[in-house]
Amino acid sequence: MSGNISRRPRARTLLALGVSASLALTATACGNSGTETGSEGEGKGKIVFWDNNGGVRTEVWKKIITEFEKKNPDIDVEYVGIPIADVQSKYDTAIQGGGDSLPDVGMVGTAYLANMVAQGALDPVGERIEDSPLKGKLVKGMVDSVRAAGGEEDLFTVPTSANQGVLWYRTDMFDKAGLEPPATWENFYRAAEELTDKKKNRFGFTIRGGAGSVAQALEMMYAQSGIENFWNGDKTTVNDPKNVEALEKYVGLYNKYTPKADLNNDFTKMVATFTGGEVGMLQHNLGSYTDHVKAFGEDGVDGLPMPASSEGGPRTLVSNPVDGMGLFKSSGNKAAAWKFIEFAASAEMNSLWNESAGAIPAHTDAADDEWINEAKPTKAAMESLDDPSTKIVQLPYYLPDWNTISKADTEPNFQKLLLGQMTAGEFADDLAKRLNEAQAEWSEQKG
């Protein structure tokens, strides 16, 4: 390949994985509606690409686009970077504004995929994948998550990356205390207790009590309970007795083995508590890896996949949002747009992007690249997703009310739970009631 992007060395044996410039609404697509079918075009000319994390990922996307245009000199890719906090509203506004307001290709995460599928904005891409070099090369767990999140049988994005929940721990504190790594729940709770010394302002764990608390609690609940499905028929398993028991143990850590100030922790404050003080463990995804290494060095911190529910039992991981590339139905140049998707999702470009983002690649051939082997927590996460016994609990991102229920409606209750103003059972029952109602409404509309 030309340019200064080189392929990273790869071991011979490939690990076959079972697993966002300002906005310019540029006219490239054909049609008066965001749901009107465009055309294949001639496979050349101009296409517009929207990045759903503009600024943060602009540099790496510019590299990918440059390499694509070298290989495809008859295609010009216009990059539009959208801040991640604005992307869903930008897509919604553009869909309502009509096809000329939409890009040809856009990054679409599973957290808002169902909304876009319901509005008819995206083309299915399953058959295109089957007829491309991507066939059989995409992580099964990510494909399954995209299919589930879209609420349809077909795929509406080509998955590019995913995250995963990790138990981060201070190796220096564990070594000094003679503790085993938190590879089991027994070790986790023992370490939370033994590493805590309130008089010295030292704690075994930091809990997320503020924004984002519910999704994190769900990760801890299902990982401990071993329950493999979010739904049992048309009812959620959130308030299953095993999940309620797991929730009780988790929230029981608060203000006993965690700082009292954790009550208002969002992601930023939680990570700062871990990296800026004497805290032994943190549960968060791979996205905070660089923060931890910067604070403690590579030898001072490590991360493990969420432990199995019991020794020898299944590892139950809650689905993390999967990012992907969507082909917009209104595009008048789908052939060229698909060439760009294929190129960006190829092993080399997918590896390049994910190394920059610190995420898990969707292309299986990227699994043994050097950067992954050097990032132990990332490699461990990938291997856990490859384990046949690992079960992915698919969160219902397809529900239109999912974000409202899991954030605005329920986060205040989680704080009440931490403060002892609500029981774990009451919390879980309230959340289950909201979810069951949303599922029933969704099913009725689908039916």
Side-chain angles (χ1 to χ4, degrees), residues 223-277:
Q224 292 178 80
S225 71
I227 295 173
E228 299 177 8
N229 298 292
F230 195 81
W231 300 103
N232 182 9
D234 59 354
K235 302 296 182 183
T236 181
T237 57
V238 161
N239 59 341
D240 182 284
K242 291 182 179 179
N243 271 334
V244 173
E245 181 183 0
L247 179 60
E248 285 177 333
K249 293 186 68 175
Y250 173 57
V251 299
L253 297 170
Y254 173 67
N255 201 28
K256 187 175 182 181
Y257 306 129
T258 80
K260 186 176 182 179
D262 281 1
L263 180 69
N264 298 306
N265 273 357
D266 57 9
F267 149 67
T268 304
K269 292 177 181 176
M270 177 183 64
V271 172
T273 298
F274 181 64
T275 59

Side-chain angles (χ1 to χ4, degrees), residues 356-375:
S356 171
I360 302 174
H363 200 295
T364 58
D365 286 359
D368 285 318
D369 281 4
E370 184 179 13
W371 72 270
I372 293 178
N373 286 306
E374 292 175 352

Side-chain angles (χ1 to χ4, degrees), residues 3-181:
N4 57 10
I5 300 174
S6 59
R7 188 74 180 105
R8 291 154 185 77
R10 175 184 302 150
R12 297 191 181 190
T13 302
L14 298 176
L15 178 62
L17 300 176
V19 294
S20 138
S22 61
L23 176 64
L25 298 179
T26 309
T28 61
C30 295
N32 298 317
S33 166
T35 64
E36 186 169 320
T37 299
S39 64
E40 286 295 304
E42 298 180 356
K44 58 184 179 180
K46 179 182 176 182
I47 61 172
V48 173
F49 166 64
W50 284 11
D51 172 15
N52 62 358
N53 200 358
V56 177
R57 304 292 174 224
T58 298
E59 183 179 351
V60 67
W61 274 118
K62 290 292 184 71
K63 289 180 180 179
I64 292 171
I65 290 170
T66 296
E67 294 303 315
F68 174 75
E69 292 177 339
K70 286 179 182 178
K71 288 185 172 293
N72 299 271
D74 54 353
I75 301 177
D76 176 44
V77 181
E78 179 179 333
Y79 171 88
V80 180
I82 305 174
I84 193 169
D86 300 334
V87 66
Q88 185 171 352
S89 64
K90 295 295 186 183
Y91 275 132
D92 287 342
T93 300
I95 292 168
Q96 296 305 312
D100 288 348
S101 300
L102 286 163
D104 299 277
V105 181
M107 294 299 293
V108 179
T110 50
Y112 49 92
L113 175 60
N115 176 55
M116 296 179 66
V117 172
Q119 295 183 80
L122 297 169
D123 255 6
V125 294
E127 289 188 5
R128 292 180 187 266
I129 292 173
E130 287 298 302
D131 293 334
S132 82
L134 296 174
K135 181 180 179 179
K137 293 294 185 178
L138 298 173
V139 172
K140 182 180 182 299
M142 296 191 200
V143 171
D144 291 344
S145 290
V146 167
R147 181 175 285 112
E152 302 284 350
E153 288 300 316
D154 210 328
L155 292 176
F156 286 85
T157 66
V158 175
T160 56
S161 66
N163 223 320
Q164 183 177 320
V166 175
L167 276 181
W168 300 102
Y169 67 102
R170 292 273 302 273
T171 54
D172 53 346
M173 293 178 68
F174 271 71
D175 290 344
K176 186 176 180 180
L179 292 167
E180 292 293 321

Side-chain angles (χ1 to χ4, degrees), residues 264-299:
N264 298 306
N265 273 357
D266 57 9
F267 149 67
T268 304
K269 292 177 181 176
M270 177 183 64
V271 172
T273 298
F274 181 64
T275 59
E278 288 295 304
V279 175
M281 294 181 293
L282 163 76
Q283 195 278 321
H284 189 247
N285 59 47
L286 289 165
S288 56
Y289 183 33
T290 56
D291 295 301
H292 309 326
V293 172
K294 183 178 179 180
F296 308 118
E298 291 187 358
D299 295 332

